[in-house]
Amino acid sequence: MSGATAQQIDRAALGEAFPRTHHILQLEFGDRKDFDDPRKEWRRLFSELLGTFALVLVAAGGGLLRGKGQISLAAAVVAPGLMVMAIILFMGAVSGAHLNPAVSLAFALRGDFPWKRVPGYLVNQLVGATLACLFLRWVFGNVEHLGATLPGPGYQEWQALLMEIVLTALLVSVILGTASAAQNVGAIAALGVGGYIALAGLWAAPVSGVSMNPARSFGPALASGYWTSYWVYVVGPIAGALIAVGFAFVLRGRGGDVISRAAGSGVLDEGALTAEAKLSQDIEHGKAVPEGIAGTDTQRRGP
């Protein structure tokens, strides 16, 4: 840790817990020396490209192999959730692991992510998704529409649209909730977001394919040339994200707090990282209470 952080966090007060806490913060937030420099925006953009590539490779690849009858529906829908868990844990501190245009827009609307960075994120998410599907086409050929998301047999586009709106609203609500001041990015976000994706797929995949992500649907459509019903997987997730932002306002008020900005943007700002680390330590040692809990805690203890 740098001298600035050492001044903010009293090692003597933490005692033997400091090495463990320091190690956890390094794993969760990354190396500040590498990632604090705002000029290294390319790191975040590459992170989004690589992360979206990995997610779509598993999601579209699973759909393709499911269509060929080589894996089960459960495997096809659980695999993307597990991949998202891994991505959040190993690169969430770099870019925030959005992996989804709807998520980037939601963070920006909440005030947790700068609008000027949104176009770069969206472009790299779409490029990552396209590269994943071009790889699948190279390996398997243009079969099963390269795992494109489509309304299931017996379901109409309007039914798939409604399903995508509701599923995405809940997904983005989980993402915004695990990036609130009460919780940092890391294991909690990985389990919450990845678990939700797997759960949604297990029951709703037969209806809409459970995209919840315009980039995930864009890659197969572009690489295979099959654009049928694609509009459903743009309108649905975007509408769902807007609804989730409204939910977040009702549940937690306005966005823009230190922890949320760090979660949405990746921890590149030294001041944000210092404030986030200090708040985490204060909460852990009972010196501070997360916003929204203080009143409840006082009421519970009584006079």
Side-chain angles (χ1 to χ4, degrees):
M1 276 194 175
S2 69
T5 303
Q7 293 176 0
Q8 294 290 334
I9 302 175
D10 185 359
R11 299 191 183 199
L14 295 179
E16 297 180 355
F18 182 80
R20 175 179 176 275
T21 304
H22 181 199
H23 180 64
I24 292 173
L25 288 172
Q26 285 290 86
L27 288 176
E28 186 172 356
F29 302 122
D31 188 341
R32 287 177 51 190
K33 184 169 58 177
D34 289 337
F35 302 125
D36 278 356
D37 190 348
R39 294 171 297 180
K40 295 180 179 179
E41 174 73 1
W42 62 271
R43 287 190 189 275
R44 289 187 285 192
L45 297 179
F46 178 74
S47 173
E48 285 298 301
L49 188 152
L50 178 61
T52 309
F53 174 90
L55 170 59
V56 176
L57 181 68
V58 170
L64 186 157
L65 293 176
R66 164 63 179 167
K68 296 179 68 175
Q70 295 180 344
I71 64 173
S72 66
L73 175 62
V77 299
V78 169
L82 296 177
M83 176 57 76
V84 167
M85 287 186 189
I87 292 169
I88 291 174
L89 288 172
F90 93 87
M91 68 168 59
V94 180
S95 67
H98 296 191
L99 317 177
N100 184 339
V103 173
S104 296
L105 290 173
F107 273 126
L109 288 169
R110 284 280 291 164
D112 300 329
F113 186 67
W115 278 104
K116 65 181 180 181
R117 293 178 182 155
V118 171
Y121 266 52
L122 267 56
V123 168
N124 280 272
Q125 289 160 0
L126 296 177
V127 170
T130 301
L131 291 175
C133 292
L134 289 174
F135 174 79
L136 291 174
R137 179 166 179 164
W138 178 50
V139 173
F140 298 104
N142 192 3
V143 297
E144 301 296 335
H145 307 306
L146 297 178
T149 46
L150 298 166
Y155 293 98
Q156 303 298 316
E157 287 184 340
W158 68 268
Q159 293 172 299
L161 175 64
L162 292 178
M163 188 63 72
E164 287 294 312
I165 291 174
V166 171
L167 293 176
T168 307
L170 294 174
L171 169 64
V172 177
S173 293
V174 170
I175 292 170
L176 295 178
T178 54
S180 70
Q183 298 168 317
N184 298 318
V185 289
I188 292 175
L191 291 172
V193 177
Y196 175 84
I197 291 172
L199 177 62
L202 285 172
W203 76 271
V207 180
S208 68
V210 187
S211 172
M212 305 181 287
N213 184 340
R216 184 264 179 264
S217 297
F218 176 83
L222 181 63
S224 70
Y226 191 79
W227 294 91
T228 300
S229 301
Y230 174 69
W231 71 272
V232 168
Y233 302 98
V234 175
V235 175
I238 297 300
L242 294 176
I243 293 171
V245 171
F247 288 166
F249 180 80
V250 173
L251 293 172
R252 290 180 295 279
R254 298 178 60 185
D257 58 83
V258 173
I259 305 296
S260 294
R261 284 196 300 273
S265 306
V267 184
L268 294 182
D269 179 77
E270 182 173 350
L273 177 59
T274 301
E276 182 170 4
K278 186 175 186 302
L279 178 58
S280 297
Q281 295 294 335
D282 288 345
I283 292 173
E284 181 179 349
H285 292 84
K287 299 178 182 178
V289 179
E291 183 179 354
I293 298 179
T296 304
D297 185 63
T298 303
Q299 188 176 31
R300 186 180 300 148
R301 292 182 182 180

